[in-house]
């Protein structure tokens, strides 16, 4: 314990709270899990920002490693995955090891968490419907558009990395600043969160952000400026990145929704995404999602089974069986079925455009 103190005035009485070390790293982790709002403002997009804890000790699959797990994985209200690694100042490991560990989690997590995030949120929601849970926790109005954005952000690596400690070493802060200024889509931040305690049991946490330099803020704002996606800008983006056959399939999907009197919801990520909604048995239902990617990534077609199963439990088996007739998706459908309809079987747009049967599950599910 040091002599650093803050003073709490209540009812004419002044109480001194003095800086105190956390008894263990696990205590600091528990504080963050219980009170994510401690870092939601300083570590995301302002005072009104929200964070949803997806999971503590989130598994990370890597080809050359086993047993990797991230301390905390959150989602913010904009659909950005937030990776938090917690360390006490007394942790003597070299800053290079701490940074390498976080980058390992980030590189492998974005490549393997496409379906895992939905499953983890469903588990966290417990008996609450996952869509309702997202609305309650993050204020999400269009759940499908939100998940489209999350998956788009994972696909292009738009994530936030947070190093959390009671005190950050100056050398680590400089590395955080450098990474945050140089990385295009990844925001890298440090948060110091010392605690101050009083003999009567009061505890005050004082989070302070590190790494959000003026240069980093300017660079991120400059790179993120673009108009919202529309149907036309999606088609324009696809025309630059995808083949004529792929874009013919995209236009066919769009025309099918319009012919059935449906609607669309659009992701807000850096690559253009679109979800097709149909009136199915009187219920507004998301059935497919596409993302056209860009010149460095593939485009994808997703068959939306989870939300379809919620709205049409009597029809989901037929829809899933039709999707499973596509050879590449038979095993994926089996996995989704085993998880209680959690997950979106997907095909590269290039492959989907080669097969006439691509549209068959959609027609069966919507007529």
């Amino acid at each position: 314990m040091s002599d650093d103190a803050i003073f709490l005035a209540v009812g004419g009485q002044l109480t001194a709270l003095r800086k105190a070390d956390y008894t263990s790293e696990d205590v600091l982790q528990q504080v963050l899990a219980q009170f994510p709002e401690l870092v939601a403002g300083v570590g995301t997009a302002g005072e009104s920002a929200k964070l949803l804890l997806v999971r503590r000790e989130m598994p990370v699959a890597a080809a050359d490693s086993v047993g990797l797990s991230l301390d905390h994985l959150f989602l913010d209200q904009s659909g950005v995955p937030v990776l938090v690694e917690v360390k006490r100042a007394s942790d003597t490991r070299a800053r290079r090891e701490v940074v390498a560990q976080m980058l390992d989690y980030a590189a492998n997590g974005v490549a393997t968490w496409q379906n895992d995030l939905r499953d983890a949120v469903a588990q966290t929601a417990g008996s609450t419907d996952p869509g309702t849970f997202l609305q309650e926790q993050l204020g999400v109005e269009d759940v499908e558009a939100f998940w489209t954005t999350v998956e788009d952000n994972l696909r292009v690596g738009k994530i936030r990395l947070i190093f959390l400690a009671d005190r950050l070493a100056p050398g680590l802060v400089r590395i955080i600043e450098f990474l945050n200024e140089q990385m295009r889509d990844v925001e890298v931040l440090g948060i110091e969160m010392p605690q101050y305690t009083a003999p009567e049991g009061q505890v005050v946490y004082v989070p302070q952000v590190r790494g959000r330099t003026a240069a980093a803020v300017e660079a991120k704002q400059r790179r993120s400026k673009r108009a919202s996606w529309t149907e036309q800008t999606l088609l324009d983006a696809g025309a630059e990145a995808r083949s004529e056959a792929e874009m013919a399939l995209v236009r066919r999907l769009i025309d099918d929704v319009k012919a059935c009197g449906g609607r669309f919801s659009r992701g807000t990520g850096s690559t253009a995404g679109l979800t097709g909604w149909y009136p199915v048995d009187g219920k507004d239902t998301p059935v497919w999602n596409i993302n056209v990617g860009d010149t460095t990534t593939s485009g994808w077609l997703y068959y939306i089974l989870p939300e379809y199963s919620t709205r049409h439990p009597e029809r989901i088996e037929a829809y899933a069986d039709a999707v499973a007739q596509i050879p590449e998706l038979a095993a994926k459908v089996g996995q989704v079925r085993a998880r209680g309809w959690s997950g979106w079987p997907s095909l590269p747009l290039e492959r989907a455009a080669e097969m006439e049967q691509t549209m068959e599950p959609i027609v069966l599910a919507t007529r």
Side-chain angles (χ1 to χ4, degrees):
M1 181 177 293
S2 75
D3 292 332
D4 291 342
I6 58 176
F7 297 89
L8 177 66
V10 178
Q13 299 294 317
L14 192 66
T15 300
L17 294 95
R18 301 190 180 280
K19 185 180 287 187
D21 293 335
Y22 292 92
T23 56
S24 69
E25 185 178 297
D26 186 62
V27 170
L28 183 52
Q29 291 190 16
Q30 290 178 17
V31 169
L32 177 60
Q34 185 176 3
F35 305 114
E37 57 268 31
L38 285 169
V39 301
V42 295
T44 55
E47 295 180 358
S48 63
K50 298 179 180 180
L51 281 179
L52 168 64
L53 177 62
V54 175
R55 181 170 172 175
R56 284 188 65 182
E57 300 301 330
M58 182 69 182
V60 181
D64 56 353
S65 302
V66 294
L68 296 181
S69 62
L70 172 74
D71 285 344
H72 298 76
L73 177 63
F74 295 89
L75 286 172
D76 75 8
Q77 63 199 45
S78 300
V80 175
V82 181
L83 289 68
V84 182
E85 193 66 9
V86 177
K87 295 288 182 288
R88 286 197 301 163
S90 58
D91 190 330
T92 58
R93 283 180 293 175
R95 59 181 180 269
R96 288 188 295 258
E97 180 181 349
V98 173
V99 173
Q101 184 181 51
M102 175 68 93
L103 295 179
D104 195 354
Y105 295 154
N108 290 287
V110 297
T112 60
W113 285 340
Q114 288 288 337
N115 289 326
D116 293 347
L117 288 194
R118 285 175 173 264
D119 292 345
V121 168
Q123 292 174 9
T124 301
S127 60
T128 304
D129 174 74
T132 302
F133 184 67
L134 285 171
Q135 292 169 348
E136 294 173 348
Q137 298 297 315
L138 293 179
V140 173
E141 296 181 359
D142 190 330
V143 174
E144 289 315 307
F146 176 79
W147 278 119
T148 297
T149 299
V150 171
E151 288 160 7
D152 182 21
N153 286 336
L154 282 175
R155 189 180 301 110
V156 301
K158 184 178 180 180
I159 57 177
R160 187 174 297 112
L161 309 180
I162 294 178
F163 297 86
L164 178 72
D166 50 343
R167 185 177 69 256
L168 294 168
L172 178 56
V173 171
R174 181 60 199 125
I175 293 173
I176 291 169
E177 292 174 345
F178 175 79
L179 291 174
N180 199 29
E181 291 171 4
Q182 299 301 319
M183 299 183 80
R184 187 188 68 179
D185 295 313
V186 180
E187 187 171 23
V188 185
L189 299 174
I191 295 179
E192 293 182 329
M193 195 168 72
Q195 66 171 353
Y196 294 77
T197 64
E200 295 80 6
Q202 298 100 323
V203 181
V204 172
Y205 303 103
V206 186
Q208 296 178 300
V209 69
R210 299 285 184 257
R212 188 174 278 149
T213 63
V217 171
E218 181 182 0
K220 296 290 192 291
Q221 289 177 342
R222 184 173 63 250
R223 290 160 182 160
S224 64
K225 287 181 179 179
R226 65 165 180 80
S228 300
W229 293 110
T230 65
E231 179 182 323
Q232 188 57 53
T233 56
L234 178 142
L235 292 173
D236 291 344
E240 294 181 4
R242 307 272 70 86
S243 68
E244 291 183 7
E246 290 173 90
M247 292 311 298
L249 174 61
V250 170
R251 286 188 289 270
R252 185 177 177 186
L253 287 163
I254 291 173
D255 291 343
D256 189 62
V257 172
K258 292 178 178 179
C260 292
R263 67 177 180 89
F264 304 99
S265 59
R266 298 171 177 83
T268 58
S270 57
T271 57
L274 188 71
T275 298
W277 293 68
Y278 292 77
V280 180
D281 298 338
K283 297 180 181 179
D284 194 24
T285 305
V287 177
W288 55 258
N289 171 270
I290 53 173
N291 190 289
V292 299
D294 56 27
T295 55
T296 63
T297 61
S298 299
W300 289 86
L301 167 66
Y302 299 85
Y303 295 96
I304 303 177
L305 300 185
E307 291 69 23
Y308 192 94
S309 70
T310 300
R311 292 167 172 81
H312 308 287
E314 73 288 350
R315 297 184 60 169
I316 182 58
E317 290 288 352
Y319 182 24
D321 286 344
V323 176
Q325 293 302 307
I326 299 172
E328 292 94 327
L329 297 185
K332 293 181 182 179
V333 170
Q335 294 169 359
V336 170
R337 181 183 276 114
R339 293 195 297 255
W341 304 114
S342 178
W344 293 14
S346 59
L347 276 175
L349 273 179
E350 182 179 12
R351 175 60 178 148
E354 297 173 349
M355 298 182 295
E356 181 61 32
Q357 68 191 108
T358 297
M359 292 293 300
E360 293 177 4
I362 295 169
V363 172
L364 182 147
T366 58
R367 273 53 166 187

